[in-house]
Amino acid sequence: MTTTADPKDLKAFAADADAWFRENVVADPGFMLPLTFMEVGTDQQFHFLRDWQNKVYEAGYLGASWPKEYGGGGLPQAFQAEATRAMRRHNGPIMLNAIGLNWTGPLLLDIGSEEHRKRFIRGILSAEDIWCQGFSEPENGSDLGNAQTRAVRDGDSFVVNGSKIWTTLGRYARYMILLARTDPDASRKYDGLSFFLAPMKIEGVETRPIRKLTGEHGFTQTFFTDARIPAHDLIGTEGGGWKVAMRTLEYERGARGGQAGGYVSVDTDAFAVLGLARSMMRDGAPALEDPAIRDRMLDFLMEIQSQTLCRQRLAVAPLNAERPSALPLSSKLIGTEFVRRINEFAVTLTGMKGGYYVGEPEAINAGLWPRAYLNAFSATIGGGTSQIQHNIIGEHVLGLPKS
Amino acid sequence: MLDLGRLGFSEEQADLLEVATRFCRERSPISKVRSLMLEETGFDTDLWTEIAALGWLGIAIPEAYGGSGLTLAETVPIVEQMGRRLLASPFVPTTLAAQTILAGGTEAQKEALLPRIAQGARATLALAEPDGDWRLEQMTSLAEDRPDGRIALSGEKRFVLDAGAAEILIVSVRRHGEPQLALLEASDLPTGALRREIVIDETRRSFALSLDGVVISASALFDPARVRAALDHVHLAANLLSAAEMSGGALAAIEYTVDYARTRKQFGKLIGSYQAVKHPLVDAYVRYEQARSHLYSAAHCFSEQGAGEIAVRMARIQTETVFAYAADRSIQFHGGFGFTYDCDAQLYRRRALWNASQNGDAIYHRRRLASLIF
């Protein structure tokens, strides 16, 4: 990272960032870019995004607020926030190394050893070391605490056997944050788990691509067969893996060591869908003039406004006093279901051409909408399905009995 | 890009929210709500005196007229908490009457009436007519000039809240073909001018008003140049406060149902553990929190040109929709008990139906909103 910004001059930094993104964002790379890091499906996309993240980091606009001694910029968090704003303003592509930036990095800055921080942080920021996440298993999706992948201590190593699924970027990753069972006899299923920083490019680790409902590749299933992980790459305590995993979830709401910055998915633009409602024709008139379409469009605009207002309300403590966890715990359910439904609506708006798909030259917006709709299920299912989210909110916010 | 409003919260709102939350919880337990339902006036006059003493009636009245010079935004947390506890009082009609005088009254009227209201004089609005149309500028009641310089009113008004206990009434009439507003003192009304209406929300007192035979002086008329603006203002203000009541009501309906779901057992299990009960309750709750964010955006942006109207209509739509849903599900999830008069679910459902019926329902506001946005 080359930044030499004056830590007192936020304004100058923001102006520089704005100019840099204006100049360096490539509007059209000549192929379709993924909307989220979970949708990286081709080598072409992968290399483009890896180079892009590296370039942003080298320019000083990623990790600007992480400690200098590990590869960050050492500036106050407000600087990174300005850089991220500039990135968004100029529609910069997403940051690729999402698991590293949002989970591993903050975790290491929070509870990692000095050696871990020195070894991993720089590679996370530069995208040299791609990270993936090994939580879900074929038989344990929403029921994460029941993970069965085994890690058995053998001298200075743990020997791992089992399988993880929905490994985003699994084919490219050099490391995985891995939740594995070190004590199958623990009285509570959660107490038998440990959390590892596991190497992927070693003997006994094999990835197999999973073909998504879109027809694209993106996830892998990862198989461990007597894979040996160094014991010193266990993070937290042996048997304390569940707590570490839960801790990583908090980083989405603001990491203790500061956020790396950037974004790993592009928000669905409700106003772009409004544009579609204006441009697509039905019975010789813009679709928006159809009262039924108009009414549904209004709903979506209100919903996106609801989400904006709820985010603003997070900063107003007295309006969250009675149930402080309500808004944070419900944002995933609301946000992911919204993205799914608005993309579904967008497909509807394209009328007859809603029958086209990616690759068809006459598809509206190159088939963006149907693809985004199908991909949206990754978020309504992944990270705890919407159905489980209902249980979580019902039990943890409203105090309803467990189902 | 179109400004749809944004959330903001003043220190005064925070203080009032805290005080009102406690006050309404302590002073309006459901047993009191039910006993007041049986009484003719429908509210507790001692409690009203206390509300006046707290200064709540003068919040949105300028200091020059005896108020504290804050805005309608600061009344929102109070009305929200009143709605949550179904606290019966003429606070909303009195506040709206003061807003109408501020927006369209003459200087002399403001000087005479606003300090009285701030001190606790009850006031109300008589805008609706027997046709039940929500359009306020469409009225058939008349104001006709008499040879003696006084003005004779005629016509019928409906849904006049707490008119039986009001000292001051503001009526909308047509004069020289144009909308006009006129001030009445309760003493101007002939005997029998008011008839108590039977309304679905039994915590409310609403009246039909006959203007026939009412004669007023010309000084009781509003500033004609500002009448339309005053009607627009009171339409939005009424919807802001209705949204506040419904936000509070929705939470109350949800909390009441959650309490039952945590204690009632069927088939050996607490009914709240069944996902067929739990998930709709969560849906109601999540939508309530969203609606509440809209409410405080509407309060914050209320006086802004453009964003204010958009935010108020959105808040009104969201709170009405979630209150109806939460109260409807509250009846259902209480099972057989939910079908009885003793179950409080009916109080919330009837309240939600009443609020939806006044000042334009969600469908009405959606159409208005669409024409503002698209």
Side-chain angles (χ1 to χ4, degrees):
Chain A
M1 179 177 273
T2 55
T3 180
T4 50
D6 176 354
K8 284 181 213 74
D9 200 348
L10 183 60
K11 254 192 180 151
F13 179 88
D16 288 350
D18 186 75
W20 190 88
F21 282 104
R22 179 180 299 127
E23 193 165 316
N24 286 282
V25 169
V26 177
D28 179 17
F31 55 91
M32 197 185 238
L33 280 173
L35 297 174
T36 84
F37 75 102
M38 288 183 281
E39 295 170 19
V40 178
T42 66
D43 286 349
Q44 192 180 36
Q45 291 175 329
F46 173 78
H47 289 295
F48 179 90
L49 289 173
R50 180 188 222 168
D51 291 348
W52 166 244
Q53 183 184 322
N54 185 269
K55 194 170 175 176
V56 173
Y57 168 62
E58 290 298 337
Y61 300 124
L62 182 67
S65 304
W66 277 6
K68 223 173 183 130
E69 58 266 42
Y70 311 127
L75 294 164
Q77 187 68 45
F79 283 71
Q80 182 57 58
E82 283 296 344
T84 302
R85 262 196 285 279
M87 193 185 302
R88 215 181 276 281
R89 198 178 306 127
H90 296 290
N91 297 316
I94 58 168
M95 294 292 104
L96 174 72
N97 203 8
I99 299 295
L101 293 169
N102 293 345
W103 299 53
T104 318
L107 182 65
L108 295 180
L109 292 175
D110 186 12
I111 61 166
S113 69
E114 190 65 12
E115 188 268 330
H116 282 147
R117 295 173 184 175
K118 288 225 157 87
R119 182 148 55 107
F120 292 127
I121 299 279
R122 188 179 302 273
I124 287 171
L125 290 171
S126 69
E128 270 161 68
D129 298 337
I130 300 298
W131 284 74
C132 64
Q133 185 211 55
F135 285 10
S136 291
E137 297 180 358
E139 297 305 320
N140 298 288
S142 291
D143 186 9
L144 195 58
N146 201 37
Q148 296 299 327
T149 293
R150 282 282 278 130
V152 179
R153 183 104 190 196
D154 181 26
D156 289 342
S157 308
F158 281 89
V159 178
V160 181
N161 280 284
S163 170
K164 292 290 176 179
I165 200 163
W166 316 126
T167 322
T168 300
L169 299 174
R171 197 156 65 86
Y172 304 104
R174 189 166 172 200
Y175 299 102
M176 169 188 271
I177 46 174
L178 168 68
L179 199 57
R181 189 159 298 278
T182 43
D183 180 4
D185 303 319
S187 53
R188 288 172 69 242
K189 64 183 179 183
Y190 305 103
D191 293 337
L193 296 167
S194 297
F195 199 104
F196 297 93
L197 308 171
M200 291 286 283
K201 307 292 182 194
I202 58 170
E203 207 175 315
V205 179
E206 189 202 341
T207 62
R208 200 177 297 160
I210 295 170
R211 199 165 179 208
K212 298 188 293 183
L213 72 177
T214 59
E216 300 158 309
H217 294 284
F219 301 93
T220 64
Q221 185 170 357
T222 308
F223 298 89
F224 297 90
T225 315
D226 292 331
R228 296 187 83 86
I229 304 175
H232 65 261
D233 287 337
L234 184 153
I235 187 161
T237 58
E238 194 171 329
W242 180 255
K243 275 190 209 132
V244 177
M246 289 302 105
R247 209 178 175 94
T248 59
L249 297 179
E250 292 173 25
Y251 301 142
E252 292 175 31
R253 310 202 280 272
R256 287 175 185 82
Q259 273 152 332
Y263 41 82
V264 298
S265 63
V266 180
D267 291 341
T268 299
D269 184 357
F271 288 92
V273 180
L274 178 57
L276 204 56
R278 289 205 162 102
S279 62
M280 297 305 301
M281 302 297 277
R282 287 184 172 226
D283 270 355
L288 191 61
E289 288 177 20
D290 178 327
I293 296 278
R294 207 174 164 80
D295 205 46
R296 291 192 63 192
M297 192 67 236
L298 190 66
D299 266 330
F300 284 113
L301 290 180
M302 278 195 280
E303 276 190 62
I304 202 146
Q305 177 68 355
S306 299
Q307 293 176 62
T308 303
L309 294 174
C310 285
R311 270 197 300 277
Q312 292 170 0
R313 196 176 130 195
L314 280 173
V316 183
L319 285 179
N320 302 297
E322 291 193 33
R323 293 179 183 81
S325 61
L327 296 184
L329 282 183
S330 53
S331 66
K332 195 254 181 194
L333 173 66
I334 292 165
T336 60
E337 288 292 332
F338 172 76
V339 169
R340 180 179 62 77
R341 285 184 296 105
I342 195 170
N343 281 298
E344 181 191 33
F345 176 60
V347 176
T348 306
L349 284 177
T350 59
M352 190 184 278
K353 294 201 170 183
Y356 285 147
Y357 196 58
V358 178
E360 163 56 42
E362 293 191 31
I364 302 291
N365 298 120
L368 169 80
W369 304 109
R371 178 171 167 273
Y373 166 59
L374 294 175
N375 268 322
F377 285 94
S378 69
T380 60
I381 295 170
T385 62
S386 294
Q387 288 63 43
I388 293 299
Q389 298 300 324
H390 274 87
N391 285 353
I392 291 172
I393 297 164
E395 290 159 24
H396 294 266
V397 182
L398 293 179
L400 289 167
K402 271 189 91 62
S403 289
Chain B
M1 194 153 64
L2 193 61
D3 183 4
L4 304 179
R6 73 219 75 79
L7 194 132
F9 201 61
S10 69
E11 269 179 48
E12 289 85 357
Q13 281 178 306
D15 292 343
L16 286 163
L17 175 61
E18 201 187 321
V19 174
T21 301
R22 200 174 44 239
F23 180 86
C24 297
R25 185 183 59 229
E26 287 169 3
R27 307 308 303 276
S28 185
I30 214 75
S31 53
K32 170 119 182 253
V33 172
R34 282 191 179 261
S35 71
L36 286 171
M37 279 162 54
L38 302 172
E39 289 183 23
E40 186 59 28
T41 48
F43 68 94
D44 176 347
T45 48
D46 291 340
L47 194 67
W48 176 258
T49 309
E50 265 188 80
I51 287 171
L54 283 166
W56 289 357
L57 293 166
I59 286 175
I61 293 176
E63 286 174 272
Y65 304 115
S68 46
L70 297 169
T71 68
L72 210 54
E74 278 75 30
T75 65
V76 164
I78 295 173
V79 176
E80 185 192 33
Q81 294 306 314
M82 288 179 166
R84 182 176 181 183
R85 303 297 170 190
L86 301 174
L87 185 147
S89 91
F91 181 79
V92 168
T94 300
T95 300
L96 292 174
Q99 286 292 310
T100 312
I101 294 166
L102 258 178
T106 63
E107 192 53 38
Q109 288 166 342
K110 289 187 219 175
E111 281 170 13
L113 294 167
L114 294 176
R116 263 175 75 193
I117 290 177
Q119 290 298 312
R122 289 183 290 269
T124 191
L125 295 168
L127 306 179
E129 297 206 338
D131 68 356
D133 196 328
W134 289 305
R135 268 180 71 186
L136 296 182
E137 64 274 18
Q138 196 84 316
M139 69 284 285
T140 58
S141 295
L142 289 178
E144 289 167 304
D145 299 354
R146 298 201 320 183
D148 65 358
R150 289 171 62 81
I151 291 159
L153 305 186
S154 63
E156 293 288 324
K157 292 291 172 183
R158 297 291 180 265
F159 300 107
V160 188
L161 281 172
D162 294 302
E167 292 177 32
I168 302 159
L169 298 94
I170 299 169
V171 299
S172 62
V173 286
R174 190 160 295 280
R175 181 169 184 256
H176 306 320
E178 287 294 308
Q180 177 55 292
L181 290 163
L183 282 164
L184 305 184
E185 295 284 337
S187 54
D188 294 333
L189 297 180
T191 313
L194 290 172
R195 174 182 67 81
R196 187 175 149 192
E197 296 168 324
I198 297 167
V199 296
I200 191 159
D201 179 355
E202 294 177 323
T203 69
R204 307 263 187 204
R205 293 296 174 268
S206 179
F207 292 80
L209 166 65
S210 169
L211 295 173
D212 295 344
V214 176
V215 179
I216 57 171
S217 74
S219 65
L221 295 174
F222 273 44
D223 176 355
R226 290 163 64 215
V227 163
R228 280 179 191 274
L231 288 172
D232 287 346
H233 176 77
V234 79
H235 170 71
L236 286 186
N239 278 298
L240 175 65
L241 298 189
S242 177
E245 275 188 348
M246 293 192 286
S247 170
L251 178 60
I254 293 164
E255 289 182 322
Y256 182 67
T257 317
V258 164
D259 282 348
Y260 191 69
R262 291 170 64 173
T263 49
R264 168 77 173 173
K265 276 191 177 177
Q266 285 289 277
F267 302 102
K269 284 163 96 177
L270 293 167
I271 61 168
S273 70
Y274 295 113
Q275 293 176 346
V277 172
K278 179 182 284 177
H279 289 193
L281 268 175
V282 168
D283 283 333
Y285 176 67
V286 162
R287 287 182 220 165
Y288 151 73
E289 290 291 3
Q290 291 185 302
R292 190 172 193 228
S293 299
H294 279 282
L295 170 64
Y296 282 96
S297 162
H300 178 68
C301 301
F302 181 71
S303 56
E304 287 176 28
Q305 198 62 255
E309 182 174 348
I310 290 174
V312 168
R313 294 197 193 280
M314 282 192 181
R316 170 64 216 239
I317 293 163
Q318 300 287 334
T319 52
E320 178 185 318
T321 308
V322 70
F323 191 15
Y325 179 67
D328 174 282
R329 293 297 81 192
S330 185
I331 294 173
Q332 180 68 24
F333 293 160
H334 279 83
F337 178 51
F339 198 63
T340 67
Y341 192 77
D342 284 347
C343 178
D344 296 336
Q346 57 100 352
L347 301 181
Y348 299 117
R349 189 65 192 99
R350 285 165 174 250
R351 165 62 68 91
L353 286 166
W354 166 270
N355 276 48
S357 73
Q358 303 296 301
N359 310 299
D361 64 5
I363 294 170
Y364 177 86
H365 289 288
R366 293 173 76 91
R367 191 175 52 73
R368 295 283 199 101
L369 185 59
S371 64
L372 291 169
I373 290 181
F374 299 134

